[in-house]
Amino acid sequence: MALQSSEGIMGGAVSAGEDNDDLIDNLKEAQYIRTDRVEQAFRAIDRGDYYLDSYRDNAYKDLAWKHGNIHLSAPCIYSEVMEALKLQQGLSFLNLGSGTGYLSTMVGLIIGPFGVNHGVELHKDVVEYAKERLDEFIKNSDSFDRFEFCEPHFVVGNCLEISSDSHQYDRIYCGAGVQKDHENYMKILLKVGGILVMPIEDQLTQITRTGQSSWESKNILAVSFAPLVQQSRTEGCKPDAVVLPPLSVRTLQDLARIYIRRTLRNLTNEEQPARNNTQRAPQKRKRRRCRRRRRINTYVFVGNQLIPQPMDSEEDECIEEESKEEEQEKDIEPVKPEEPRVNHLRDKVLSLPLPESLKAYLLFYREK
């Protein structure tokens, strides 16, 4: 049996943003993003970069997106997942149904270069798409130089066919509905003390492994994910086991690059203290504010159609409004647009009296 999943995901819990930062502002106001670490990761990765160009206008809405085999969950879902995983530097992470790699890339910014970041995805074309997005991020995003990064590694396969001798992980996320008879299978992949986040029976659930045979569960959010669906196999035909990437030891050369970049990054942060303020500067423009809402719109994909489904909820109410301050801004002279961010780490590396080949290595051969 091959495994595939279709996904219906709650969305529309916060107002649409005009850009990635605006979307994150709305998620913070609605209390979906609650910690600085998660906020920084969301701001560092532009959600629009994971959309096809012709659909990018929809990237900053709090809705799921699906095109063929490619899909992204709603931003409010990813926010709750990132918060529930309680990520820290050096942890190992497994993403079951890794999709575009958007979530895995954000996780990589938090767990850092000494973490482990693996993903399993059923569809080969989606894995190729995820690798393209990852390559684009590494080559062109300034966020790659502002953070220490754990690069995700994706494999093609059925996440219910992972090899029985596979290593365990500190953190696991499954991006499709898990049926009760597969719950224990997921739990076994988790280390003692680890956290597993997955949808079970229309609840996004956080499971903590407290011992070899003990777990604690907590419901996070009402969701609607289609379950992992098993297709019929040819009788007597055993599926190929999914072999996860090995846990490799970094080379001395790679370790030297990590620590040199860390030292230079710390120096630039000391020289440019004003840059260390992670809070976004207020924008002199009109936008919507949002509170938690009591009614959550649930959407289910049927083919390529996004069908709204009624759902009762006890969430707080989402209200769109303009503050008095924003109303007064209409009479204020528009401010100048923000200056482009300077990549201080890159500038520091290029200023060093080193051979060009060594500078290129320290910059991961990035062209900008």
Side-chain angles (χ1 to χ4, degrees):
M1 283 179 284
L3 179 70
Q4 65 179 23
S5 66
S6 57
E7 186 176 340
I9 300 180
M10 186 192 74
V14 302
S15 300
E18 297 179 14
D19 56 26
N20 193 67
D21 274 327
D22 202 28
L23 173 63
I24 307 313
D25 287 344
N26 293 341
L27 291 168
K28 281 190 66 181
E29 289 177 18
Q31 291 294 301
Y32 285 103
I33 293 177
R34 299 179 289 278
T35 60
D36 290 343
R37 184 174 292 177
V38 170
E39 178 189 351
Q40 291 167 13
F42 268 86
R43 292 199 190 279
I45 308 294
D46 194 320
R47 180 177 168 89
D49 292 341
Y50 290 79
Y51 275 64
L52 296 172
D53 289 342
S54 56
Y55 294 90
R56 191 178 177 112
D57 288 346
N58 296 320
Y60 310 116
K61 298 176 181 178
D62 188 33
L63 295 173
W65 173 67
K66 182 176 176 64
H67 182 83
N69 292 326
I70 301 170
H71 69 273
L72 280 164
S73 297
C76 65
I77 296 294
Y78 282 138
S79 302
E80 290 287 4
V81 169
M82 289 285 286
E83 293 287 357
L85 286 170
K86 298 182 179 179
L87 297 164
Q88 301 173 20
Q89 286 197 354
L91 295 180
S92 56
F93 172 68
L94 176 62
N95 191 350
L96 300 174
S98 50
T100 65
Y102 171 64
L103 180 70
S104 293
T105 302
M106 288 194 291
V107 169
L109 297 178
I110 297 178
I111 64 177
F114 301 111
V116 174
N117 196 351
H118 294 164
V120 180
E121 168 59 45
L122 178 64
H123 302 288
K124 184 177 180 180
D125 61 322
V126 178
V127 170
E128 292 303 316
Y129 184 85
K131 290 179 178 179
E132 290 173 3
R133 297 299 90 207
L134 175 62
D135 187 57
E136 182 71 18
F137 169 75
I138 292 174
K139 286 183 177 180
N140 297 314
S141 174
D142 282 347
S143 295
F144 181 79
D145 283 335
R146 290 190 290 112
F147 291 79
E148 292 189 322
F149 185 54
C150 182
E151 182 175 339
H153 294 277
F154 306 111
V155 296
V156 180
N158 180 330
C159 69
L160 290 181
E161 302 295 346
I162 293 174
S163 177
S164 59
D165 60 352
S166 170
H167 38 268
Q168 295 175 313
Y169 292 81
D170 297 302
R171 301 291 187 268
I172 300 174
Y173 172 63
C174 181
V178 177
Q179 298 172 341
K180 272 293 183 182
D181 54 350
H182 294 144
E183 181 178 349
N184 287 335
Y185 168 86
M186 299 292 181
K187 288 178 176 178
I188 296 302
L189 295 171
L190 193 64
K191 289 182 180 180
V192 173
I195 295 174
L196 164 65
V197 177
M198 61 183 179
I200 305 176
E201 297 181 337
D202 293 331
Q203 287 286 335
L204 187 65
T205 305
Q206 178 196 63
I207 298 174
T208 303
R209 187 168 189 176
T210 57
Q212 287 296 335
S213 56
S214 58
W215 292 265
E216 292 180 356
S217 297
K218 175 185 176 183
N219 290 339
I220 303 169
L221 191 69
V223 294
S224 178
F225 282 62
L228 297 170
V229 179
Q230 291 183 321
Q231 294 178 331
S232 60
R233 301 174 182 166
T234 303
E235 189 171 345
C237 180
K238 187 177 180 179
D240 294 333
V242 175
V243 179
L244 296 172
L247 301 179
S248 56
V249 178
R250 288 187 178 273
T251 65
L252 182 60
Q253 179 174 307
D254 194 20
L255 289 172
R257 175 166 60 178
I258 290 170
Y259 282 104
I260 290 171
R261 284 171 61 89
R262 178 181 293 178
T263 301
L264 294 175
R265 187 182 294 108
N266 290 340
L267 285 173
T268 59
N269 288 342
E270 292 173 3
E271 294 168 359
Q272 304 287 335
R275 295 190 308 109
N276 296 331
N277 184 2
T278 59
Q279 297 299 320
R280 186 190 177 202
Q283 297 286 320
K284 296 287 186 179
R285 58 180 173 80
K286 174 183 175 181
R287 70 174 186 81
R288 293 176 176 177
R289 294 185 181 273
C290 183
R291 301 173 187 158
R292 300 282 273 192
R293 58 190 293 174
R294 290 191 178 278
R295 182 175 179 80
I296 298 175
N297 293 328
T298 302
Y299 298 82
V300 176
F301 282 109
V302 178
N304 286 327
Q305 297 290 323
L306 189 64
I307 308 298
Q309 298 291 321
M311 174 181 269
D312 293 327
S313 175
E314 296 299 324
E315 299 291 332
D316 299 333
E317 188 175 3
C318 178
I319 301 174
E320 297 179 1
E321 60 180 11
E322 293 180 4
S323 68
K324 293 181 180 179
E325 180 182 352
E326 287 170 334
E327 291 175 355
Q328 292 171 355
E329 286 175 357
K330 297 176 182 178
D331 301 324
I332 298 176
E333 183 178 349
V335 296
K336 296 179 180 179
E338 294 181 6
E339 294 181 1
R341 183 188 292 271
V342 177
N343 189 329
H344 293 276
L345 176 62
R346 180 179 181 82
D347 289 348
K348 177 67 74 175
V349 170
L350 293 176
S351 70
L352 296 175
L354 298 172
E356 293 301 319
S357 58
L358 182 52
K359 292 180 183 180
Y361 177 74
L362 289 173
L363 293 171
F364 285 84
Y365 304 99
R366 286 157 49 88
E367 295 179 358
K368 66 177 185 178

